[in-house]
Amino acid sequence: MLAGILLAASLHAAEPPQARQPWTTSRIVGSPEPPKPFRVVRAFPQIKFDHPVALVSAPGTDRLFVVEQGGKLFSFPQEPSAAKADLLIDLRQGLKSLALNPNAKDVGDVYGLAFHPQFAQNRYCYICYVLNSKNGQPLPDGTRVSRFTVTATDPPRCDPDSEQVIITFLGGGHNGGCLAFGPDGKLYISTGDAASPNPPDPLSTGQNLDDLLSCVLRIDVDRPDPGRPYGIPTDNPFVKHANARGEIWAVGFRNPWKMSFDRRAGDLWVGDV
């Protein structure tokens, strides 16, 4: 039997190869999905950034604002022909609020930027950044959301001396740090589990309501409560829960890296790492 198989294989191998007919009738255009009906191009080909992590607009302006993770924020005209970006602020230079924390060494990563809905009138913007500690350990108040005042000049500049620290929480590996104003005028802040990826959630904070981590927070920056620079909206879901932080709007995240409001429906979409 084995000899017969080998003989058949030998005879088959001796046959001349057949010319392959091209397959021209296939309707397959992609697998498993067809290609997208668009192509990616550089919207602003003359401008380059170093590790940009956020791109936002400001009400009443024709400029776009970019956050670099390393600490610099820029703005530029919303035109394809824009030739350069103008420095808005360098958080690693001249930030006097470092003195508020004697254990802080300098500014680390910067994650979020949002402009007040009434920016054209009050010139307020809000920035989320992380402080590096002197001993290398995470600071209990190492992640900050601060309010700054932006000049009405062209190009605009952000005054570092105008900083008011609004809210802080534990700094760490997963910091979240995305900022967005909702249709209700409240400021929404994403927070991570303040730790590295492995092991997952080592602080066991993902389901806790007694801290501000692994959450989306919702605060009122226009109507502060006594003793703090922001207010807690009375319709937040955990306001009346014992031992829960009233600032929490949603809980159970790992590192909600980006979020955005649907302009038509008003829903908040969150991208969690």
Side-chain angles (χ1 to χ4, degrees):
M1 183 64 180
L2 179 59
I5 293 175
L6 294 175
L7 178 61
S10 176
L11 292 174
H12 178 75
E15 296 177 359
Q18 299 294 321
R20 181 175 180 180
Q21 296 297 322
W23 185 15
T24 60
T25 58
S26 172
R27 294 180 179 270
I28 298 177
V29 293
S31 177
E33 298 176 352
K36 303 298 182 182
F38 52 78
R39 62 189 180 91
V40 177
V41 298
R42 290 181 62 91
F44 306 98
Q46 301 185 64
I47 308 177
K48 295 182 179 181
F49 298 100
D50 184 11
H51 290 81
V53 294
L55 172 69
V56 299
S57 59
T61 75
D62 64 348
R63 284 183 165 257
L64 291 175
F65 294 79
V66 172
V67 177
E68 288 187 348
Q69 188 173 358
K72 293 182 178 180
L73 287 74
F74 296 89
S75 75
F76 61 93
Q78 193 171 335
E79 302 172 355
S81 60
K84 68 181 184 70
D86 301 296
L87 183 67
L88 179 70
I89 188 174
D90 184 351
L91 290 176
R92 294 188 175 179
Q93 300 291 330
L95 203 61
K96 296 180 180 179
S97 66
L98 283 175
L100 298 176
N101 190 328
N103 297 316
K105 177 183 177 183
D106 53 22
V107 172
D109 293 335
V110 184
Y111 291 116
L113 170 67
F115 290 89
H116 194 282
Q118 303 301 319
F119 173 74
Q121 289 75 41
N122 59 32
R123 310 298 298 182
Y124 290 158
C125 75
Y126 297 79
I127 302 175
C128 182
Y129 65 92
V130 180
L131 295 174
N132 292 324
S133 67
K134 294 179 180 178
N135 60 8
Q137 299 299 314
L139 296 169
D141 56 350
T143 303
R144 287 178 173 177
V145 176
S146 290
R147 188 190 76 193
F148 293 85
T149 301
V150 179
T151 65
T153 56
D154 184 21
R157 293 296 301 267
C158 194
D159 181 8
D161 293 341
S162 68
E163 181 182 16
Q164 180 185 13
V165 179
I166 301 297
I167 191 171
T168 65
F169 47 91
L170 177 65
H174 287 162
N175 293 291
C178 189
L179 307 177
F181 277 93
D184 55 6
K186 305 300 188 293
L187 178 60
Y188 291 72
I189 305 165
S190 71
T191 71
D193 59 20
S196 58
N198 290 307
D201 194 13
L203 302 179
S204 299
T205 187
Q207 298 297 322
N208 284 348
L209 297 176
D210 58 0
D211 61 40
L212 299 179
L213 302 179
S214 295
C215 295
V216 172
L217 313 178
R218 176 178 181 254
I219 62 175
D220 189 337
V221 296
D222 295 321
R223 286 166 283 275
D225 294 333
R228 59 175 161 235
Y230 64 90
I232 297 178
T234 57
D235 59 345
N236 273 5
F238 302 105
V239 167
K240 297 182 180 180
H241 285 238
N243 301 319
R245 292 295 298 262
E247 297 93 335
I248 296 174
W249 176 252
V251 69
F253 301 98
R254 186 178 190 185
N255 188 26
W257 174 237
K258 294 298 173 188
M259 59 184 182
S260 178
F261 281 95
D262 185 308
R263 296 180 182 178
R264 181 171 298 179
D267 296 334
L268 179 61
W269 290 77
V270 181
D272 193 348
V273 171

